[in-house]
């Protein structure tokens, strides 16, 4: 912590953030033609892309506000409202598409995104306001209970420096640049390729979402442990998160790999989306799925990295030192992006969208490996051998589960819904059994505890039955 006088402390306020986001939104809206040409120069008719870009430029402000409000609520362990934002988001998209798809066509989807983003912010504003009001009342009561006003005045208040936010912002931008690289290279391929990439990515990331939810919920626990200097508790929590994330993501990956054509056909194959589109999207999705574990691990590991940076605080004491920022995640992500770009350039001409998906999976997996090794230098001394062994067991279980799900779903492959349901049930069951047999702690531990509990309860019921008899 660095102590500095309040008049010299650089503070990021919500109004300033909103003004910055509004300016970026306006710049994106005005510069949409140049932006489309920069990101997708191969489009034969960029007019529609420009219109959709301008519509989605309106989302920058509400998306930014939603992130700010969600972070504030989650930091105080309020997860219900942040979890509901995507219901509002999807409601807005579907509502506009259902009502206006006939007149607007694909533009209805972009307009729906704009409406959905506004609804996200609207969902969060009331609980955020109520929570801030309660906090203010508690602080006033605490200040009143203090013996003197001077004691309350010297209590430190924590604020964030813009410099401290810079590596986080650049890391996020670099990570999202993977998508820009894919779209840039895919814009010169056959019409529909970008759609195949987008559909495949969105469906594949459904498996990753479960893993990301884990680290989202446990992040305040890790952050508090690091802030209090309890590195052992932080290490144990991060290791448990990696195990649980690996199990959730790899179980979903197994089902995606086994049932990709049936899943895509069930979700999209109707109207202008033909069987050829299904086959192309499924092939890309299978390759994308190879990078899901890396995607989830990056999301889990980057949070402890940024939690270990000092926070600027101000009070009555003079400043002692400057703010230090952690640039390692940005360097790791930049190297991963460089690998993604290199492989994409080399593979796009011969392998098309599949080559781009392979580039994405390789680059993000490299970033995850670098973060996994580098986090030990930031005070979170993970037991690297244990983590890698646990992930290897889960990978082996996922391979077995994918084979089992594929064999189960194949006989009824023409019927999408029964095939997906059967493949999912068999795949998840096979994954759990294989992981338990391989003694993966995240699976074998809970199963052993459940078996012991059932055995104890059965013995107790048996004893009570004999006693009653």
């Amino acid at each position: 912590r660095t102590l500095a006088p309040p008049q010299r402390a650089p503070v990021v306020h919500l109004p300033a953030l909103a003004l910055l986001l509004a300016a970026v939104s306006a710049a994106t809206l005005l510069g949409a033609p140049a932006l489309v040409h920069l990101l997708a120069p191969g489009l034969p008719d960029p007019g529609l892309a420009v219109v959709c870009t301008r519509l989605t430029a309106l989302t920058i402000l509400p998306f930014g506000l939603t992130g700010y409000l969600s972070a504030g609520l989650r930091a105080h362990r309020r997860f219900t409202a942040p979890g509901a934002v995507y219901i509002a988001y999807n409601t807005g998209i579907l509502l506009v598409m259902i009502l206006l798809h006939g007149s607007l066509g694909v533009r209805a989807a972009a307009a729906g995104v704009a409406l959905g983003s506004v609804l996200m912010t609207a969902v969060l504003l009331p609980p955020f306001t109520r929570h801030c009001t309660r906090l203010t009342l508690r602080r006033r009561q605490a200040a009143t209970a203090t013996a003197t006003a001077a004691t309350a005045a010297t209590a430190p208040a924590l604020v964030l420096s813009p410099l401290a936010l810079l590596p986080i912002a650049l890391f996020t931008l670099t990570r999202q640049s993977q998508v820009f690289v894919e779209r840039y290279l895919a814009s010169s391929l056959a019409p529909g390729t970008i759609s195949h990439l987008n559909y495949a990515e969105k469906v594949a990331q459904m498996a990753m979402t479960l893993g990301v939810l884990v680290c989202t919920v446990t992040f305040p626990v890790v952050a508090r442990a690091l802030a209090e200097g309890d590195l052992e508790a932080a290490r144990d929590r991060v290791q448990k998160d990696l195990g649980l994330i690996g199990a959730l993501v790899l179980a979903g990956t197994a089902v995606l790999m086994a049932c990709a054509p049936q899943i895509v056909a069930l979700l999209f194959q109707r109207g202008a989306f033909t069987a050829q589109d299904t086959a192309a999207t499924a092939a890309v999705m299978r390759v994308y799925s190879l990078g899901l574990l890396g995607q989830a691990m990056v999301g889990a590991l980057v949070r402890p990295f940024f939690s270990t940076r000092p926070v600027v605080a101000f009070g009555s004491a003079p400043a002692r030192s400057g703010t230090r920022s952690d640039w390692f995640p940005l360097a790791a992500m930049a190297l991963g992006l460089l690998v993604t770009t290199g492989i994409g350039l080399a593979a796009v001409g011969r392998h098309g969208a599949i080559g781009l998906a392979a580039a994405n999976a390789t680059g993000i997996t490299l970033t995850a490996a670098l973060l996994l090794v580098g986090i030990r230098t930031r005070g979170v001394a993970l037991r690297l051998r244990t983590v890698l062994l646990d992930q290897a067991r889960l990978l082996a279980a996922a391979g077995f589960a994918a084979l089992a799900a594929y064999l189960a779903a194949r006989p009824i492959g023409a019927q999408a819904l029964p095939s997906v349901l059967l493949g999912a049930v068999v795949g998840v069951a096979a994954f759990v059994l294989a992981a338990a047999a391989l003694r993966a702690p995240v699976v074998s531990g809970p199963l052993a505890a459940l078996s012991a509990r059932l055995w104890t309860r059965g013995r107790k019921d048996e004893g009570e039955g004999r006693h009653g008899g």
Side-chain angles (χ1 to χ4, degrees):
R1 288 179 180 174
T2 303
L3 297 177
Q7 63 270 20
R8 289 188 292 170
V11 186
V12 176
H13 293 290
L14 181 56
L17 176 63
L19 184 62
L20 175 63
L21 292 171
V24 174
S25 178
T28 304
L29 191 147
L30 294 174
L35 187 62
V36 169
H37 179 72
L38 175 66
L39 298 180
L43 293 178
D45 182 14
L48 182 59
V50 170
V51 173
C52 292
T53 299
R54 282 175 168 159
L55 286 170
T56 53
L58 303 174
T59 68
I60 295 176
L61 175 59
F63 273 156
L65 295 178
T66 297
Y68 184 97
L69 301 177
S70 296
L73 289 170
R74 286 171 178 156
H76 293 274
R77 300 189 181 186
R78 302 292 192 273
F79 299 106
T80 302
V85 295
Y86 293 106
I87 298 176
Y89 177 57
N90 290 319
T91 300
I93 295 175
L94 293 174
L95 183 63
V96 176
M97 290 183 67
I98 291 172
L99 295 178
L100 301 176
H101 74 278
S103 58
L104 296 181
V106 72
R107 293 183 292 272
V113 170
L115 176 61
S117 66
V118 174
L119 294 179
M120 291 171 73
T121 306
V123 166
L124 290 178
L125 275 175
F128 185 85
T129 303
R130 287 195 300 268
H131 186 64
C132 288
T133 302
R134 285 195 294 266
L135 287 178
T136 302
L137 290 175
R138 290 173 189 170
R139 286 171 182 168
R140 287 177 179 173
Q141 292 170 357
T144 304
T146 4
T148 61
T151 305
T154 57
L158 296 179
V159 297
L160 288 176
S161 163
L163 181 62
L165 295 175
L166 185 60
I168 303 175
L170 292 178
F171 170 85
T172 304
L173 179 62
T174 306
R175 185 173 183 180
Q176 292 301 318
S177 294
Q178 283 193 313
V179 178
F180 300 153
V181 170
E182 289 176 11
R183 302 306 184 261
Y184 179 90
L185 296 176
S187 65
S188 60
L189 298 177
T193 302
I194 291 180
S195 296
H196 298 156
L197 286 165
N198 192 55
Y199 283 124
E201 184 180 18
K202 295 302 182 185
V203 176
Q205 286 184 348
M206 291 172 62
M208 187 191 69
T209 302
L210 294 175
V212 173
L213 289 175
V214 173
C215 55
T216 298
V217 172
T218 60
F219 173 54
V221 178
V222 176
R224 282 193 177 90
L226 290 171
E228 295 168 0
D230 193 349
L231 299 181
E232 185 176 353
R235 178 199 64 195
D236 292 343
R237 181 67 263 172
V238 172
Q239 285 192 189
K240 289 178 181 177
D241 287 351
L242 291 177
L244 184 54
I245 288 169
L248 292 172
V249 172
L250 289 174
T253 300
V255 175
L256 288 172
M257 295 287 288
C259 306
Q262 296 93 327
I263 292 173
V264 175
L266 177 64
L267 294 175
F268 306 120
Q269 190 173 319
R270 59 188 60 86
F273 200 101
T274 65
Q276 289 76 16
D277 294 316
T278 294
T281 303
V284 173
M285 190 169 75
R286 279 174 167 158
V287 179
Y288 259 133
S289 298
L290 299 176
L292 290 180
L293 180 60
Q295 294 273 7
M297 291 187 71
V298 167
L301 290 169
V302 75
R303 288 168 167 82
F305 265 102
F306 291 130
S307 297
T308 58
R309 294 179 298 104
V311 178
V312 178
F314 64 83
S316 59
R320 288 204 302 253
S321 62
T323 304
R324 178 175 64 85
S325 297
D326 198 335
W327 298 92
F328 184 87
L330 174 61
M333 193 67 246
L335 185 57
L337 178 62
L338 183 64
V339 170
T340 297
T341 304
I343 296 177
L345 286 170
V348 65
R350 186 170 184 178
H351 302 287
I354 292 179
L356 295 178
N360 181 296
T362 305
I364 199 65
T365 301
L366 174 62
T367 299
L370 292 174
L371 292 177
L372 186 61
V373 174
I375 198 172
R376 293 168 58 87
T377 66
R378 299 308 191 270
V380 185
L382 296 179
R383 301 180 184 92
L384 197 56
R385 180 184 177 88
T386 301
V387 171
L388 293 177
L389 183 58
D390 290 346
Q391 295 298 322
R393 289 168 174 161
L394 294 173
L395 279 169
F400 174 77
L403 178 60
Y406 175 78
L407 294 176
R410 187 178 181 182
I412 53 175
Q415 304 176 43
L417 181 58
S419 179
V420 171
L421 292 177
L422 182 60
V425 171
V426 172
V428 172
F431 177 84
V432 172
L433 293 176
L438 293 171
R439 299 183 180 277
V442 69
V443 176
S444 60
L447 285 180
L450 178 61
S451 300
R453 190 178 306 164
L454 293 175
W455 172 259
T456 303
R457 183 173 180 178
R459 297 286 294 177
K460 181 180 179 181
D461 291 345
E462 183 182 351
E464 290 176 351
R466 283 200 299 266
H467 179 73

